[in-house]
């Protein structure tokens, strides 16, 4: 604990110990000294480990105080010195807490903790300690493990940590949805992150390691990662920065070559070639002019990426808002909505959730439209795009016209609505999953009937039904624009990380393959020169489990333990042994039993009730 508080700094630890070992037991002020030469003089006693002080003609000899490395006086000295250093640096005299975290309280020895807390309590005036104790069971274990006298030394306050699920959702929202210009995960890496968290271990450290690995791989292996820091800046600043970089040779020909090798760049060029002659000239310019590509065009693409990020945030906010308006529907969490949009946009299809929610908007009653529009206006106000204001004003004016109508006119409208009921082809009563497609549930004839019904409602429907249709169509167009595929944006590889194979290899290892390789080629793991000379034959110098595994590969489904034992004994009889120590049968049997137990523990064999002297082979592939 003392070493960790002192940051594992050996020099600081050693110098502090020296100051405590040889520090003066007598503090001398300047007013008490006669002169600098007469105050402190060292004589021959210092060579013996003692220090002699001369004060007013008399000598006082002090012996050094040697403190053990586990003495808390060392920590007291370091703590006071740290506070003095902060004062010298201009900070106010503060007394920071010393926090000791005991992650798993149940795994500690209660007697050890009692002694530890009792010793700490003796220094509570000099050292302000705070214990954070992690209890996995209940708080009663604290009273059962510690004595009453020890608990009286503590001022206990109880609090709960957030569940890993809550933390994980907050991190995903912060990094991948809410933030504008950080490294984003594509569909496959994002799904890999979700699956390994929820289906395997709920490990927060694994999530951190996975995100750190993605950052390292993106910035280490991708030369174009230098442009990620420019995302989010206005066009003029971007153009000025990339132009200066190009002039200072920070951007080289290699960067231009890497941009041209991007899949999104090739798709952008192919789209330009299919259009007008002016666009074809632009395509030739992008292929031949490095300066134009790495300055003006790259700045334009970075601005487009920033605009796409803001639009995607708006689309996600609208999607969650639509889910909240229909409480009877099965809601999806924000992380699943985000994954669904990534997967559907990757394949160029519209998410079934959007189609289902838009259909529900078309069925909304007139009384529900007014609060719906008010909440929708509040959500859209958080974004800079003001194209929606005119439409909201028009719809709200139409609602006021409907509300000011007479009761007789409202009755006629309701009768008309009843006649038009059933024209919207109803969908399922739940939000479809991402694995289901609309084509699997609706035939082309049903889709055509639904389109004709929508057209008839827009032409002959009531004021409120027409308004609901207009709102639904507008929301569908907004969501289709905001939640479009990130792959449609040129140079999206600068921000979106899509390499999932490396994550699968690094964070989803296959232990059986590693174990089989180690057992089959143990000479490389043990650095055995004699075993590396002859790789074909079975050598008695190999490790026992490895030798038994190679015999295991020659067996069938049922392995006779006696035959296996005889073959194993024949091999190890040939090993070189010192004189006077012959191989004993009991030793062979003990080594065989140990190796069989290891193979059973590793999952290669298991016992069977059919034949007591046989085991079943469980693996058949060989690495």
């Amino acid at each position: 604990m003392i070493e960790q508080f002192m940051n594992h700094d050996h020099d600081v630890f050693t110098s502090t110990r020296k100051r405590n070992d040889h520090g003066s037991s007598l503090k001398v002020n300047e007013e008490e000294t006669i002169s600098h030469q007469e105050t402190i003089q060292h004589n021959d006693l210092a060579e013996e480990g003692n220090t002699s002080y001369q004060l007013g003609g008399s000598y006082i000899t002090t012996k050094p105080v040697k403190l053990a490395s586990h003495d808390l006086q060392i920590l007291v000295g370091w703590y006071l010195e740290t506070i003095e250093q902060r004062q010298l640096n201009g900070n106010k005299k503060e007394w920071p807490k010393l926090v000791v975290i005991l992650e798993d309280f149940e795994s500690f020895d209660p007697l050890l903790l009692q002694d530890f807390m009792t010793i700490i309590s003796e220094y509570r005036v000099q050292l302000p300690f705070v214990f954070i104790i992690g209890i996995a069971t209940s708080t009663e274990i604290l009273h059962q493990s510690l004595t009453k006298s020890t608990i009286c030394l503590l001022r206990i306050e109880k609090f709960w940590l957030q569940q890993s699920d809550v933390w994980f959702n907050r991190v995903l929202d912060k990094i991948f949805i809410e933030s504008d210009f950080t490294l984003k995960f594509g569909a496959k890496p994002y799904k890999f992150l979700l699956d390994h968290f929820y289906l395997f271990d709920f490990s927060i450290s694994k999530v951190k390691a996975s995100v750190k690995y993605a950052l390292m791989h993106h910035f280490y292996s991708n030369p174009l990662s230098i442009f990620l820091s420019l995302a989010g800046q206005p066009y003029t600043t971007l153009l000025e920065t990339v132009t200066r970089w190009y002039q200072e040779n920070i951007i080289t020909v290699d960067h231009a070559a890497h941009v041209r090798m991007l899949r999104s760049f090739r798709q952008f060029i192919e789209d330009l070639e299919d259009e007008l002659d002016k666009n074809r000239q632009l395509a030739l310019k992008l292929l031949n002019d490095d300066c134009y590509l790495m300055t003006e065009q790259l700045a334009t693409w970075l601005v487009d990426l920033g605009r796409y990020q803001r639009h995607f945030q708006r689309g996600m906010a609208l999607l969650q808002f639509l889910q909240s308006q229909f409480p009877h529907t099965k809601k999806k969490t924000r992380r699943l909505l985000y994954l669904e949009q990534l997967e559907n946009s990757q394949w160029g299809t519209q998410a079934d959730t959007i189609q289902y929610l838009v259909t529900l908007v078309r069925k909304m009653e007139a009384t529900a439209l007014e609060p719906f529009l008010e909440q929708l206006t509040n959500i859209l106000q958080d974004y800079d795009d003001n194209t929606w204001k005119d439409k909201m004003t028009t719809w709200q004016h139409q609602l006021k016209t409907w509300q000011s109508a007479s009761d007789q006119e409202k009755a006629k409208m309701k009768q008309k609505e009843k006649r038009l009921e059933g024209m919207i082809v109803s969908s399922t009563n739940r939000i479809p999953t991402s694995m289901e497609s609309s084509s699997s549930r609706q035939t082309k004839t049903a889709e055509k009937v639904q389109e004709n019904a929508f057209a008839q409602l827009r032409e002959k429907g009531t004021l409120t039904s027409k308004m609901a249709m207009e709102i639904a169509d507008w929301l569908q167009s907004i969501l289709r624009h905001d939640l479009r595929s990130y792959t449609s944006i040129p140079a999206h590889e600068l921000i979106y990380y899509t390499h999932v194979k490396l994550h699968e290899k690094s964070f989803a290892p296959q232990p059986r393959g590693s174990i089989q390789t180690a057992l089959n080629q143990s000479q490389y793991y043990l650095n055995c020169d004699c075993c590396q000379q002859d790789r074909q034959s079975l050598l008695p110098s190999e490790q026992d489990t490895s030798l038994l595994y190679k015999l295991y590969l020659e067996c069938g489904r049922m392995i006779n333990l006696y035959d296996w034992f005889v073959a194993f004994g024949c091999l190890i009889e040939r090993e070189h042994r010192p004189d006077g120590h012959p191989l004993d049968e009991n030793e062979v049997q003990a080594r065989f039993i140990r190796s069989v137990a290891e193979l059973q523990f590793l999952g290669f064999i298991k016992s069977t009730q059919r034949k007591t002297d046989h085991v079943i082979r469980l693996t058949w592939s060989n690495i």
Side-chain angles (χ1 to χ4, degrees), residues 387-539:
T387 56
W388 51 271
K389 287 188 176 181
D390 295 336
K391 289 185 175 294
M392 291 295 171
T393 304
T394 303
W395 290 330
Q396 289 175 354
H397 179 71
Q398 291 177 357
L399 276 177
K400 290 180 180 179
T401 304
W402 176 80
Q403 292 173 353
S404 61
S406 61
D407 296 338
Q408 186 177 3
E409 293 178 354
K410 289 183 180 180
K412 291 181 179 179
M413 291 181 183
K414 288 184 179 181
Q415 291 178 359
K416 192 174 183 181
E417 287 178 358
K418 288 182 179 180
R419 290 196 300 267
L420 295 173
E421 282 182 358
M423 295 190 65
I424 300 179
V425 178
S426 60
S427 182
T428 56
N429 293 326
R430 62 182 179 87
I431 297 180
T433 61
S434 58
M435 300 299 294
E436 298 172 346
S437 61
S438 59
S439 59
S440 64
R441 295 186 309 275
Q442 287 186 354
T443 62
K444 292 183 178 180
T445 304
E447 292 177 359
K448 188 174 181 180
V449 170
Q450 189 175 24
E451 291 177 0
N452 294 334
F454 290 161
Q456 191 171 358
L457 280 174
R458 293 187 185 98
E459 181 180 356
K460 300 180 180 180
T462 61
L463 177 63
T464 55
S465 62
K466 289 180 180 179
M467 189 188 308
M469 294 291 295
E470 290 178 5
I471 295 174
D473 293 341
W474 179 79
L475 284 172
Q476 188 173 16
S477 63
I478 290 294
L479 292 174
R480 185 177 298 173
H481 173 267
D482 290 353
L483 301 178
R484 67 188 187 278
S485 173
Y486 63 89
T487 57
S488 62
I489 310 298
H492 66 269
E493 292 89 348
L494 303 181
I495 293 181
Y496 281 88
Y497 180 81
T498 57
H499 302 280
V500 72
K501 294 295 183 182
L502 291 174
H503 272 67
E504 292 176 350
K505 184 179 180 181
S506 303
F507 296 97
Q510 298 180 359
R512 176 179 291 182
S514 302
I515 293 172
Q516 287 179 315
T517 304
L519 291 175
N520 203 24
Q521 302 178 11
S522 60
Q523 63 270 14
Y524 297 107
Y525 290 80
L526 302 177
N527 293 325
C528 182
D529 297 331
C530 61
C531 296
Q532 293 180 5
Q533 295 176 1
D534 190 358
R535 304 179 185 176
Q536 303 297 328
S537 59
L538 298 177
L539 300 177

Side-chain angles (χ1 to χ4, degrees), residues 28-83:
V28 183
N29 296 326
E30 295 181 358
E31 299 174 354
E32 300 174 355
T33 59
I34 300 175
S35 64
H36 180 70
Q37 289 81 8
E38 297 177 352
T39 302
I40 299 177
Q41 294 180 353
H42 295 281
N43 55 9
D44 296 337
L45 293 174
E47 298 178 0
E48 300 177 1
N50 298 328
T51 305
S52 177
Y53 297 93
Q54 183 181 12
L55 296 176
S58 61
Y59 286 92
I60 299 177
T61 303
T62 61
K63 293 184 178 181
V65 180
K66 293 185 178 181
L67 297 176
S69 60
H70 56 268
D71 198 308
L72 279 177
Q73 288 290 344
I74 297 174
L75 191 61
V76 172
W78 168 83
Y79 183 74
L80 295 176
E81 183 181 359
T82 304
I83 295 176

Side-chain angles (χ1 to χ4, degrees), residues 308-327:
Y308 170 77
Q309 293 290 336
R310 290 187 291 271
H311 287 168
F312 198 91
Q313 292 175 15
R314 183 180 65 179
M316 289 296 299
L318 289 175
L319 204 57
Q320 283 190 293
F321 163 71
L322 291 179
Q323 275 199 146
S324 63
Q325 295 301 306
F326 307 104

Side-chain angles (χ1 to χ4, degrees), residues 234-247 295 299:
Y235 177 77
T236 54
T237 306
L238 275 171
L239 184 59
E240 180 182 352
T241 304
V242 294
T243 303
R244 177 170 52 83
W245 284 4
Y246 187 82
Q247 294 173 354
T295 54

